[in-house]
Amino acid sequence: MNKSETKKALLLIALGVLLLGTGPMFVKYVHANGVLVGFYRLVFAGAMLSLPAVFLKPREEKILPAGNGLKWGILGGLVLALNLGLWCSALNYTTASAVTLLDNTAPVWVGLLSWMLFKEKQPGHFWLGLLVALGGAGLMIGWDVIYGASVQTTGNLIGVASGISYAVYVLITKEARRYMSSLRYTWLETVSGALGMLLVAVAAGLFKQPLPGKSLLMIFLMALTSQVIGYLLINQAVEKLPAPVVSVALVGQPVVTTLLGIVILNEIPSALQLLGALICLAGILVVQRSQVNGPAVIVTE
């Protein structure tokens, strides 16, 4: 790849990371039930992806999903719905930067689950990165516990659960992608995830108080920017850039969210929280770069 193509790919991944980093700002503005926000986000994203997913047929596209392919696609959508519900809910309790960082610990959990469930061997620096990342996350959460911020502690713990659920989603996605292209799979998981969240929302009576038009507009913009455009930009760039470059770029998402949170939401982290976040980021980066086949996770919230 020549310099011009490399610069283009770097620009694409930078724009993608920037768009992903804006996602929490929209959720904070809406401030509604996490399941409801996640449902509308998936509905809007599914609608936007429907036409290209149905009519475009990438070269790597296999036969239309059937059997195991369809099952993995639906399962991926349901786990993605769980992840979105947790992620949106966590943002109602704690800061955007904390949730984004804890959600981005997913690469750590992917590696750990791969080792536990599939007996995949991990290099020594993976374990070092895991300890560093968990230590940093523990420092962040511990600060809230020590100072009695029970609401933020709840949000942080939900954020950790969000990261673990995303790791499960990634492992399912690896299997589902054996049967269909990225675009077709993204559409299928989005639709199935929306249907799953619809059932939960109806059962919980969440539609009794409809969201205002402004809130729906914010969710639509979030789906368009962070889930559709951001995801597509990063996916295109990942195919052209070396794995170490991608690893460094992807950990920029929590940085973008933190800066936006300071400017837009006035969420200013304490010195101890900032230290914990930096330590956690360093651990995530080590984990990402320890994966010989490139970055394990692209967190698309």
Side-chain angles (χ1 to χ4, degrees), residues 3 59 62 81 85 117 125 151 156 201 205 224 240 259 265 268 281 291:
K3 290 184 178 181
R59 291 182 179 179
K62 283 88 175 171
L117 300 177
H125 50 301
V151 173
N156 289 338
L224 174 64
K240 300 178 180 180
L259 293 175
L265 305 174
I268 303 175
L281 271 179
Q291 306 304 301

Side-chain angles (χ1 to χ4, degrees), residues 95-117:
T95 63
S97 59
V99 174
T100 304
L101 181 63
L102 294 172
D103 196 50
N104 272 268
T105 59
V108 174
W109 306 115
V110 168
L112 188 59
L113 289 173
S114 297
W115 173 72
M116 293 174 60
L117 300 177

Side-chain angles (χ1 to χ4, degrees), residues 40-58 61 80 84 169 181-192 194 220 222-233 235 300:
Y40 282 116
R41 172 175 166 166
L42 288 176
V43 166
F44 291 139
M48 285 182 272
L49 290 169
S50 291
L51 288 178
V54 172
F55 293 105
L56 293 182
K57 297 182 179 180
E61 184 68 86
L80 177 63
L84 277 178
Y169 161 76
S181 70
S182 176
L183 178 61
R184 191 69 58 83
Y185 171 67
T186 302
W187 173 78
L188 177 60
E189 66 170 9
T190 301
V191 172
S192 59
F220 172 81
M222 175 175 59
L224 174 64
T225 55
S226 64
Q227 183 156 351
V228 177
I229 298 177
Y231 175 78
L232 293 175
L233 288 176
N235 258 352
T300 59

Side-chain angles (χ1 to χ4, degrees), residues 13 29 103 121 217 243 272 278:
I13 200 169
Y29 175 87
D103 196 50
K121 292 184 178 180
L217 176 61
L272 196 58
L278 291 174

Side-chain angles (χ1 to χ4, degrees), residues 44-293:
F44 291 139
M48 285 182 272
L49 290 169
S50 291
L51 288 178
V54 172
F55 293 105
L56 293 182
K57 297 182 179 180
R59 291 182 179 179
E60 79 268 21
E61 184 68 86
K62 283 88 175 171
I63 298 173
L64 284 174
N68 288 334
L70 184 59
K71 293 176 183 177
W72 283 111
I74 294 174
L75 182 60
L78 295 177
V79 176
L80 177 63
L82 171 64
N83 169 254
L84 277 178
L86 290 170
W87 180 73
C88 293
S89 298
L91 285 164
N92 287 330
Y93 294 97
T94 189
T95 63
S97 59
V99 174
T100 304
L101 181 63
L102 294 172
D103 196 50
N104 272 268
T105 59
V108 174
W109 306 115
V110 168
L112 188 59
L113 289 173
S114 297
W115 173 72
M116 293 174 60
L117 300 177
F118 308 117
K119 310 303 179 184
E120 291 185 8
K121 292 184 178 180
Q122 300 292 355
H125 50 301
F126 164 82
W127 299 106
L128 173 62
L130 181 146
L131 292 175
V132 171
L134 295 184
L139 187 60
M140 290 174 56
I141 297 173
W143 186 91
D144 292 329
V145 173
I146 292 172
Y147 286 91
S150 58
V151 173
Q152 286 197 0
T153 301
T154 299
N156 289 338
L157 292 176
I158 296 175
V160 173
S162 175
I164 295 174
S165 67
Y166 199 88
V168 175
Y169 161 76
V170 169
L171 295 176
I172 293 172
T173 297
K174 288 183 177 180
E175 181 65 24
R177 285 284 284 107
R178 293 172 52 195
Y179 300 91
M180 66 196 87
S181 70
S182 176
L183 178 61
R184 191 69 58 83
Y185 171 67
T186 302
W187 173 78
L188 177 60
E189 66 170 9
T190 301
V191 172
S192 59
L195 290 175
M197 295 193 92
L198 174 63
L199 295 176
V200 174
V202 170
L206 299 180
F207 293 111
K208 293 179 180 180
Q209 294 183 339
L211 293 179
K214 289 184 178 179
S215 295
L216 291 175
L217 176 61
M218 289 297 104
I219 299 173
F220 172 81
L221 291 175
M222 175 175 59
L224 174 64
T225 55
S226 64
Q227 183 156 351
V228 177
I229 298 177
Y231 175 78
L232 293 175
L233 288 176
I234 289 180
N235 258 352
Q236 187 173 353
V238 164
E239 296 175 357
K240 300 178 180 180
L241 292 172
V245 175
V246 175
S247 299
V248 174
L250 291 180
V251 297
Q253 183 188 348
V255 177
V256 171
T257 301
T258 299
L259 293 175
L260 291 175
I262 293 173
V263 175
I264 298 175
L265 305 174
N266 197 31
E267 294 180 347
I268 303 175
S270 69
L272 196 58
Q273 286 174 315
L274 189 58
L275 176 62
L278 291 174
I279 292 173
C280 187
L281 271 179
I284 293 171
L285 179 58
V286 172
V287 168
Q288 287 273 41
R289 299 191 68 171
S290 72
Q291 306 304 301
V292 295
N293 293 322

